[in-house]
Amino acid sequence: MIGRLQEMNQLERMYASERFEFMVMYGRRRIGKTTILQEFSKMHKTIFFSAQEKNDTLNLQDFSKLLQEHFDGGFIASFASWSDALDYFGKKAQKQKTVLIIDEFPFLAESNPSVKSIFQHKIDHDWKERNLFLIFCGSSVSFMLNDVMGYKSPLYGRSTGSMEVLPFDYLESAAFFPDYSEEEKLIAYGILGGVPRYLNAFDPKRALRENLISEMLTEGAFLNDEPQTLLRMELREPAVYNSILEAVANGCNRIMEIADRIHEEKSKCSKYMLTLQTLRLLEKHVPCGETNGSKKGIYEITDHFYRFWYRYVFSNKSYYSMLGTERAADEIMEGINDYMGPVFEDICRQYLVRRAKGGILPFVPHAIGKWWGNNPVIKAQDDVDLLALDRKGERGIFVECKFRNRPMGMDEYDDLVTATEAFPGVKEKWLIFISKSGFTEAVKRRAGEEGAELVEVKGMYE
């Protein structure tokens, strides 16, 4: 299993405890939650129950069979109630450390809402003094946050640990393609993002273009309709959500722009976008150093695969069907540098965060992200690809990120120097330039004279 060391370590720490532990694990679909729990189960004796979207009687029957076969080696009959089943579990689990995992707990609780109160009663009156490890896992992020851990839930305050399973970062995702060039690894991450199921869909032994054709552009391929499939599973009106995601993927990133593009009222649009944020598909960003309430806020798709799919596959479905998969792939790859700009900025942000954690930045940033706004020096709008500020805003790291097929020249160097002038309150400034294709000799000389740092992609993680 690639990555997930931090998640496995947290599970192991809780398992090593000699008291009752209750972990709530959640994360969007395809993110790898079940894989983590399966790997953990290989190392320890666990009871692993996967709830399904069926009625409560059938889920209880499946759970009863699992418990009886685990403890007694055979199935006699279903327990009359969940309370009886958990009583049986509690009695049988007294002799040794026991782990009970319930995967997709929302399916269980939605078919029988009282099951949360039943578990709460067992925890309070029996299990909290036992050496048990209970794990609830779910793909419905809002359900796990509100109906399991929320203050109105019967289980509120009972969990001893929680874990949101997040997508892999670039470095972890690149490990799926050990034979790709650095540029191919970057583009693969831009196309697939950091969700393990999507990364596994591409064959690391096949060329990037071939994978794009066979695994995404070909009708019937898993990735060809994956976002649509998930939205249908999660939402009642996928058409509106599709329109919002398509608008954002194609450059509309403010609420009014999105509402105008999809011909919906702003208030309705805001409600739908809030749901997409809960699903971890949409995220609001403000200029680095400003509060979340800033009126300059913009929306971006958090998952690079969704961003790629809505920009290319969804927006051009009819066109690509006439063009053919091979010519469609060629057309996409010809303009991939333009698409990769924001992706590369995200990769550079991850790189800066890793350096901060490793103690190899001038200071630990209090705020880090993109900045845009008015530059009073040039009396025009300006931006910084990546800005890191200390707590007082007196020290700043300014980063230019370039994903182009030519070395970065003096114009880009000058642009960043000009942008720094919009921050007169930042007394100490550091410049970092990160370029896919290196730098001109003139830039190298100037950076050496002025103390700016030049970073090439191949040297980012050496």
Side-chain angles (χ1 to χ4, degrees), residues 132-181:
L132 300 175
F133 188 8
L134 176 64
I135 302 174
F136 284 177
C137 180
S139 298
S140 174
V141 175
S142 60
F143 186 95
M144 299 302 283
L145 290 175
N146 300 323
D147 291 65
V148 177
M149 293 192 293
Y151 72 94
K152 291 184 179 180
S153 168
L155 292 164
Y156 175 71
R158 272 70 180 182
S159 65
T160 59
S162 65
M163 177 192 299
E164 179 174 10
V165 181
L166 299 171
F168 287 133
D169 64 11
Y170 165 69
L171 191 58
E172 293 165 325
S173 300
F176 283 76
F177 306 101
D179 298 328
Y180 277 15
S181 68

Side-chain angles (χ1 to χ4, degrees), residues 284-303:
K284 182 182 178 182
H285 295 284
V286 299
C288 181
E290 297 194 16
T291 64
N292 289 333
S294 172
K295 294 182 179 179
K296 299 178 186 176
I298 62 173
Y299 291 86
E300 294 181 355
I301 296 175
T302 56
D303 183 282

